[in-house]
Amino acid sequence: MTLYEEASFIVEKLSLEEKCKFCCGIDFWESFSKDELGIPSIMMCDGPHGLRKEIKENFCFVSSKVEKSTCFPTSTAWASSFDEDLIYRVGKALGEECRKENVAVILSPGINIKRVPICGRNFEYLSEDPYLSGKISAALIKGIQSKGVAACLKHFAANNQENNRYTVNAIIDERTLREIYLKGFEIAIKEANPWSIMMAYNRLNGEYCCQNNYLINDVLRKDWNYNGCIISDWGGVNDIVESINNGLNLEMPGYNDDYYKNIEKAVKNNKIKEEILDESVKKVIELILKYKEGKKIPYRCNIQEHINLAQEVAENSAVLLKNTDNILPGNTNQNIAVIGKLAKEPVIQALGSSKVNPNTMDNSYDAFLDNNCKISYADGYSLEDEEIDECLLKEAIKISKNKDIVYLFVGNPKYTEAEGYDRKNINLPKLHEKLIYEIGKINKNLVVILQSGSVVKMDWSDVPKAILLTHLSGARGGNATVNILLGKKNPSGKLNETYSNDLEDYPAMKFYPGDRNHLEYRESIYVGYRYFDTAKKEVKYPFGFGLSYTTFEYSNMKIKHNNDNTINVSITITNTGNMEGKEVVQLYISCLNSKLFRAKQELKRFKKINLLPGESKEVTFNLDEESFSYYNIYTHKFEIEEGQYSINIGSSSRDIKFSSIINKSGTCNKVPNYKEKSPSYYKLYEKEFNPGIEEYENIYGNKLPITTNAIHPFTVSSTINDIKHVYGGDLIISFINKKAYKFSGADRYMQITIKESLNDSPLRLMTMVTRGAISHKTITGLVNLLNKHYIKGLLEILRNTKRF
Ligand code: BGC
């Protein structure tokens, strides 16, 4: 009997009430149970880069009472490693920590595309490229699930910014959606079959993701044959009846009887068919059974090994962006200045639900000392205060004088990278920049170490001789950084996203942030290097770029057409320097004569290899038909356009070493051609890319919904902002605020997130934020009040609000 059949068998034995209870959490992190039938409650925890298990007495959004666990570098670093084997091992380690803590589901990985560099959560996502996101996340998922623990792939889909994330309506044409925003999910699902998936908060083309028929039924269930459990993002359900009817299986979290009773009432009133409910329950029970089954897999959890692995990830993901005169690696005999508080107090992760309680943490300052380096140190800046402190600056300059080498640590202040709100810009703090310029004037041997989970603007990049990007590098980032600086390890990370010169260079910024109802993805497929390379726009550092202490030579590219219609592409890589090192070989494909507008090239394969000095290896890639395909809006399938294709192999998107042209026959004659009505999409390099609305409507295939900030009538998804100007709105907001802070139980940092995002939050979310103190029914009461049904509203509030 399959687990699904077993689940179906169990569902038959449940009462309606029990079935409804299985479709929502019993608290913040746990599911309902039916022990008599052998179905325990399971626990779900964040993710993504470490296990974040809250201590039961303090369950909330997001508590400071969290069990200790290994803090891995954040996801952005995983992608920069370009190393599937390594990330598979991270997945295994996460799975082992879950097993040890009896956690059934880890809410990891998050793979939303980095559309704009200021998205607050980019540190938690993988890449601007869907192929890289898909492959790295598939490796992680396989690792987690090999230990009998469920991964939860999130956030499906188009949660590409934090501002307005709870309500924003992402308007995306079908092709862009399939090729860019869904592709990574598709790869991960087809390759690794995550046991669960999390639906995003936002709306997509008009419908909340948690009740989005297209996403759940057309894409997940029908097109991809996905058979796992579909879970809401925490507090992401707008209307539970619509959600269940459209295929959501589990609403998280849940607090009180309201949750299941809403479902029960709908079944009794025939608003949800019992067969549909049963299907949801089966999926939840099947997930629980998978975990029960998984527990039979033997495991051992050696935390020290995980900590070592965290270091290995940091060492293999740091990106050497610049190294003039081979100033790096440095050595222990040098007279060294170490400047910057981040050397002592690194930012190893960012704010929000991903923040773990690290079982250990190191720093670069100590790591230098452990390596017997002679160092002089100055803080350079304060981490609390962004004002320039002349005393700190002077001291830093004094210490940097006459040193053989200066290691200056810079990065984003603690609260900049966070869940719940976007960054305001991509600049480093002024005083970090000032230090770079000032120290650069008095010591040419300046090395900048950049701790950042997302793109920063680097107008200053000419000043230092070397720049090392270390991401948010987890528990052992300090040792990893110093090992690279001193040449014990050879850097091998490559950029998972383009570092442009300016924030405005990213085409999506023209349409960002939209408003709470309307966010156009008018730039279409032109995200990241797809835009920069096609537009031939100068960038600071291109996608896939990263230096090494050694050099690699590419030679002997060969193409072989196989009988099964696939193509083998081989290339030989030789380590021509004198240090062992790793190279990431990248394969891109360009369509040379397309009717459709296409990106100049797209990443289709990559491989990281290790080479000893003088050693050569041949790398072979197998290209299937899909590698050449685009999404056709007429057939609603990926198709191949007849024509010439260039297969490009290189060490970054801008450093192509070899190309070879092949012909392909087409799979569909009807290729959309937008040249006449949407010319801007074809001429990116001729003039500033700024497509008009009609041009995008032509691609979208319809008129865009009218931008309306209409707020009436109020609903449970109206935001706090919406009620600001309503008579009595102030009172309601102050009531909500008080409750939010009194009952949230969130940690000090999460309070900042709540505060920053409160105005954008829908009223219904207040139930989650206040841990049920403001109940569903109180919210309905508030909505009634706002809609001028005063008596009904007041009565509902008074009856249902506890703990005034
Ligand atoms: C986040 C998810 C997270 C969940 C539980 C949500 O706010 O968007 O990524 O897994 O909370 O903490």
Side-chain angles (χ1 to χ4, degrees), residues 453-472:
S454 34
V455 172
V456 296
K457 188 172 171 188
M458 293 196 208
D459 289 347
W460 44 264
S461 65
D462 284 345
V463 179
K465 277 195 174 166
I467 305 172
L468 180 70
L469 167 67
T470 56
H471 313 284
L472 304 181

PDB file of all heavy atoms in Angstrom, residues 453-472:
ATOM      1  N   GLY A 453      24.765  40.285   2.115  1.00  0.00           N
ATOM      2  CA  GLY A 453      23.949  39.214   1.555  1.00  0.00           C
ATOM      3  C   GLY A 453      23.343  39.596   0.217  1.00  0.00           C
ATOM      4  O   GLY A 453      22.680  38.793  -0.418  1.00  0.00           O
ATOM      5  N   SER A 454      23.544  40.852  -0.182  1.00  0.00           N
ATOM      6  CA  SER A 454      23.000  41.257  -1.482  1.00  0.00           C
ATOM      7  C   SER A 454      23.853  42.381  -2.065  1.00  0.00           C
ATOM      8  O   SER A 454      24.740  42.918  -1.390  1.00  0.00           O
ATOM      9  CB  SER A 454      21.538  41.667  -1.353  1.00  0.00           C
ATOM     10  OG  SER A 454      21.293  42.274  -0.124  1.00  0.00           O
ATOM     11  N   VAL A 455      23.505  42.755  -3.283  1.00  0.00           N
ATOM     12  CA  VAL A 455      24.338  43.698  -4.048  1.00  0.00           C
ATOM     13  C   VAL A 455      24.574  45.016  -3.308  1.00  0.00           C
ATOM     14  O   VAL A 455      23.637  45.583  -2.748  1.00  0.00           O
ATOM     15  CB  VAL A 455      23.634  44.023  -5.380  1.00  0.00           C
ATOM     16  CG1 VAL A 455      24.341  45.141  -6.124  1.00  0.00           C
ATOM     17  CG2 VAL A 455      23.530  42.781  -6.246  1.00  0.00           C
ATOM     18  N   VAL A 456      25.812  45.493  -3.328  1.00  0.00           N
ATOM     19  CA  VAL A 456      26.047  46.870  -2.883  1.00  0.00           C
ATOM     20  C   VAL A 456      26.699  47.653  -4.021  1.00  0.00           C
ATOM     21  O   VAL A 456      27.343  47.079  -4.902  1.00  0.00           O
ATOM     22  CB  VAL A 456      26.948  46.974  -1.622  1.00  0.00           C
ATOM     23  CG1 VAL A 456      26.315  46.336  -0.423  1.00  0.00           C
ATOM     24  CG2 VAL A 456      28.318  46.412  -1.879  1.00  0.00           C
ATOM     25  N   LYS A 457      26.483  48.932  -3.972  1.00  0.00           N
ATOM     26  CA  LYS A 457      27.044  49.809  -4.984  1.00  0.00           C
ATOM     27  C   LYS A 457      28.522  50.015  -4.672  1.00  0.00           C
ATOM     28  O   LYS A 457      28.885  50.251  -3.524  1.00  0.00           O
ATOM     29  CB  LYS A 457      26.277  51.131  -4.919  1.00  0.00           C
ATOM     30  CG  LYS A 457      26.583  52.076  -6.013  1.00  0.00           C
ATOM     31  CD  LYS A 457      25.624  53.252  -5.946  1.00  0.00           C
ATOM     32  CE  LYS A 457      26.123  54.291  -6.930  1.00  0.00           C
ATOM     33  NZ  LYS A 457      25.445  55.525  -6.867  1.00  0.00           N
ATOM     34  N   MET A 458      29.355  49.949  -5.682  1.00  0.00           N
ATOM     35  CA  MET A 458      30.795  50.001  -5.410  1.00  0.00           C
ATOM     36  C   MET A 458      31.502  51.075  -6.224  1.00  0.00           C
ATOM     37  O   MET A 458      32.440  50.785  -6.955  1.00  0.00           O
ATOM     38  CB  MET A 458      31.415  48.652  -5.746  1.00  0.00           C
ATOM     39  CG  MET A 458      30.979  47.539  -4.859  1.00  0.00           C
ATOM     40  SD  MET A 458      32.128  46.186  -5.097  1.00  0.00           S
ATOM     41  CE  MET A 458      31.097  44.844  -4.731  1.00  0.00           C
ATOM     42  N   ASP A 459      31.055  52.305  -6.059  1.00  0.00           N
ATOM     43  CA  ASP A 459      31.758  53.391  -6.752  1.00  0.00           C
ATOM     44  C   ASP A 459      33.218  53.451  -6.337  1.00  0.00           C
ATOM     45  O   ASP A 459      34.052  53.994  -7.046  1.00  0.00           O
ATOM     46  CB  ASP A 459      31.102  54.739  -6.396  1.00  0.00           C
ATOM     47  CG  ASP A 459      29.755  54.871  -7.042  1.00  0.00           C
ATOM     48  OD1 ASP A 459      29.454  54.061  -7.940  1.00  0.00           O
ATOM     49  OD2 ASP A 459      28.975  55.758  -6.631  1.00  0.00           O
ATOM     50  N   TRP A 460      33.499  52.883  -5.188  1.00  0.00           N
ATOM     51  CA  TRP A 460      34.832  52.947  -4.602  1.00  0.00           C
ATOM     52  C   TRP A 460      35.755  51.819  -5.070  1.00  0.00           C
ATOM     53  O   TRP A 460      36.878  51.707  -4.613  1.00  0.00           O
ATOM     54  CB  TRP A 460      34.704  52.906  -3.071  1.00  0.00           C
ATOM     55  CG  TRP A 460      33.704  51.868  -2.595  1.00  0.00           C
ATOM     56  CD1 TRP A 460      32.402  52.093  -2.281  1.00  0.00           C
ATOM     57  CD2 TRP A 460      33.910  50.452  -2.441  1.00  0.00           C
ATOM     58  NE1 TRP A 460      31.779  50.909  -1.921  1.00  0.00           N
ATOM     59  CE2 TRP A 460      32.684  49.887  -2.004  1.00  0.00           C
ATOM     60  CE3 TRP A 460      35.003  49.616  -2.615  1.00  0.00           C
ATOM     61  CZ2 TRP A 460      32.526  48.520  -1.752  1.00  0.00           C
ATOM     62  CZ3 TRP A 460      34.857  48.246  -2.362  1.00  0.00           C
ATOM     63  CH2 TRP A 460      33.629  47.720  -1.941  1.00  0.00           C
ATOM     64  N   SER A 461      35.293  51.012  -6.004  1.00  0.00           N
ATOM     65  CA  SER A 461      36.037  49.776  -6.297  1.00  0.00           C
ATOM     66  C   SER A 461      37.441  50.000  -6.857  1.00  0.00           C
ATOM     67  O   SER A 461      38.279  49.106  -6.813  1.00  0.00           O
ATOM     68  CB  SER A 461      35.241  48.892  -7.260  1.00  0.00           C
ATOM     69  OG  SER A 461      35.117  49.557  -8.498  1.00  0.00           O
ATOM     70  N   ASP A 462      37.727  51.220  -7.388  1.00  0.00           N
ATOM     71  CA  ASP A 462      39.082  51.475  -7.909  1.00  0.00           C
ATOM     72  C   ASP A 462      40.088  51.652  -6.777  1.00  0.00           C
ATOM     73  O   ASP A 462      41.294  51.546  -6.997  1.00  0.00           O
ATOM     74  CB  ASP A 462      39.092  52.782  -8.729  1.00  0.00           C
ATOM     75  CG  ASP A 462      38.467  52.554 -10.089  1.00  0.00           C
ATOM     76  OD1 ASP A 462      38.325  51.369 -10.465  1.00  0.00           O
ATOM     77  OD2 ASP A 462      38.103  53.551 -10.745  1.00  0.00           O
ATOM     78  N   VAL A 463      39.601  51.968  -5.592  1.00  0.00           N
ATOM     79  CA  VAL A 463      40.525  52.344  -4.511  1.00  0.00           C
ATOM     80  C   VAL A 463      41.314  51.150  -3.952  1.00  0.00           C
ATOM     81  O   VAL A 463      42.544  51.173  -3.947  1.00  0.00           O
ATOM     82  CB  VAL A 463      39.759  53.092  -3.394  1.00  0.00           C
ATOM     83  CG1 VAL A 463      40.694  53.455  -2.253  1.00  0.00           C
ATOM     84  CG2 VAL A 463      39.061  54.317  -3.955  1.00  0.00           C
ATOM     85  N   PRO A 464      40.670  50.115  -3.468  1.00  0.00           N
ATOM     86  CA  PRO A 464      41.464  49.011  -2.900  1.00  0.00           C
ATOM     87  C   PRO A 464      42.124  48.178  -3.990  1.00  0.00           C
ATOM     88  O   PRO A 464      41.650  48.160  -5.130  1.00  0.00           O
ATOM     89  CB  PRO A 464      40.416  48.162  -2.174  1.00  0.00           C
ATOM     90  CG  PRO A 464      39.120  48.484  -2.798  1.00  0.00           C
ATOM     91  CD  PRO A 464      39.216  49.859  -3.374  1.00  0.00           C
ATOM     92  N   LYS A 465      43.182  47.481  -3.605  1.00  0.00           N
ATOM     93  CA  LYS A 465      43.816  46.595  -4.586  1.00  0.00           C
ATOM     94  C   LYS A 465      43.020  45.301  -4.711  1.00  0.00           C
ATOM     95  O   LYS A 465      43.024  44.674  -5.754  1.00  0.00           O
ATOM     96  CB  LYS A 465      45.247  46.274  -4.154  1.00  0.00           C
ATOM     97  CG  LYS A 465      46.236  47.339  -4.557  1.00  0.00           C
ATOM     98  CD  LYS A 465      47.648  46.818  -4.436  1.00  0.00           C
ATOM     99  CE  LYS A 465      48.625  47.838  -4.972  1.00  0.00           C
ATOM    100  NZ  LYS A 465      49.992  47.530  -4.570  1.00  0.00           N
ATOM    101  N   ALA A 466      42.412  44.885  -3.601  1.00  0.00           N
ATOM    102  CA  ALA A 466      41.647  43.632  -3.666  1.00  0.00           C
ATOM    103  C   ALA A 466      40.302  43.809  -2.975  1.00  0.00           C
ATOM    104  O   ALA A 466      40.156  44.613  -2.039  1.00  0.00           O
ATOM    105  CB  ALA A 466      42.421  42.508  -3.014  1.00  0.00           C
ATOM    106  N   ILE A 467      39.312  43.060  -3.458  1.00  0.00           N
ATOM    107  CA  ILE A 467      37.983  43.041  -2.815  1.00  0.00           C
ATOM    108  C   ILE A 467      37.552  41.581  -2.704  1.00  0.00           C
ATOM    109  O   ILE A 467      37.565  40.843  -3.699  1.00  0.00           O
ATOM    110  CB  ILE A 467      36.922  43.803  -3.650  1.00  0.00           C
ATOM    111  CG1 ILE A 467      37.381  45.231  -3.944  1.00  0.00           C
ATOM    112  CG2 ILE A 467      35.581  43.813  -2.924  1.00  0.00           C
ATOM    113  CD1 ILE A 467      36.478  45.989  -4.923  1.00  0.00           C
ATOM    114  N   LEU A 468      37.182  41.200  -1.497  1.00  0.00           N
ATOM    115  CA  LEU A 468      36.689  39.832  -1.283  1.00  0.00           C
ATOM    116  C   LEU A 468      35.270  39.922  -0.726  1.00  0.00           C
ATOM    117  O   LEU A 468      35.046  40.507   0.338  1.00  0.00           O
ATOM    118  CB  LEU A 468      37.596  39.095  -0.283  1.00  0.00           C
ATOM    119  CG  LEU A 468      37.188  37.649   0.030  1.00  0.00           C
ATOM    120  CD1 LEU A 468      37.416  36.734  -1.179  1.00  0.00           C
ATOM    121  CD2 LEU A 468      37.977  37.105   1.237  1.00  0.00           C
ATOM    122  N   LEU A 469      34.325  39.344  -1.453  1.00  0.00           N
ATOM    123  CA  LEU A 469      32.925  39.324  -0.995  1.00  0.00           C
ATOM    124  C   LEU A 469      32.707  38.037  -0.204  1.00  0.00           C
ATOM    125  O   LEU A 469      32.874  36.942  -0.742  1.00  0.00           O
ATOM    126  CB  LEU A 469      31.992  39.361  -2.210  1.00  0.00           C
ATOM    127  CG  LEU A 469      30.519  39.044  -1.949  1.00  0.00           C
ATOM    128  CD1 LEU A 469      29.857  40.126  -1.106  1.00  0.00           C
ATOM    129  CD2 LEU A 469      29.763  38.889  -3.278  1.00  0.00           C
ATOM    130  N   THR A 470      32.329  38.178   1.076  1.00  0.00           N
ATOM    131  CA  THR A 470      32.207  36.970   1.898  1.00  0.00           C
ATOM    132  C   THR A 470      30.752  36.635   2.253  1.00  0.00           C
ATOM    133  O   THR A 470      30.507  35.724   3.038  1.00  0.00           O
ATOM    134  CB  THR A 470      33.039  37.097   3.191  1.00  0.00           C
ATOM    135  OG1 THR A 470      32.612  38.267   3.887  1.00  0.00           O
ATOM    136  CG2 THR A 470      34.516  37.184   2.884  1.00  0.00           C
ATOM    137  N   HIS A 471      29.790  37.389   1.688  1.00  0.00           N
ATOM    138  CA  HIS A 471      28.356  37.154   1.939  1.00  0.00           C
ATOM    139  C   HIS A 471      28.048  37.280   3.439  1.00  0.00           C
ATOM    140  O   HIS A 471      28.821  37.863   4.190  1.00  0.00           O
ATOM    141  CB  HIS A 471      27.922  35.773   1.437  1.00  0.00           C
ATOM    142  CG  HIS A 471      28.388  35.452   0.050  1.00  0.00           C
ATOM    143  ND1 HIS A 471      27.806  35.981  -1.070  1.00  0.00           N
ATOM    144  CD2 HIS A 471      29.387  34.652  -0.395  1.00  0.00           C
ATOM    145  CE1 HIS A 471      28.411  35.516  -2.146  1.00  0.00           C
ATOM    146  NE2 HIS A 471      29.379  34.716  -1.779  1.00  0.00           N
ATOM    147  N   LEU A 472      26.925  36.693   3.863  1.00  0.00           N
ATOM    148  CA  LEU A 472      26.637  36.581   5.304  1.00  0.00           C
ATOM    149  C   LEU A 472      27.056  35.155   5.620  1.00  0.00           C
ATOM    150  O   LEU A 472      26.364  34.194   5.258  1.00  0.00           O
ATOM    151  CB  LEU A 472      25.147  36.810   5.579  1.00  0.00           C
ATOM    152  CG  LEU A 472      24.615  38.152   5.057  1.00  0.00           C
ATOM    153  CD1 LEU A 472      23.136  38.316   5.377  1.00  0.00           C
ATOM    154  CD2 LEU A 472      25.398  39.326   5.631  1.00  0.00           C
TER     155      LEU A 472
END
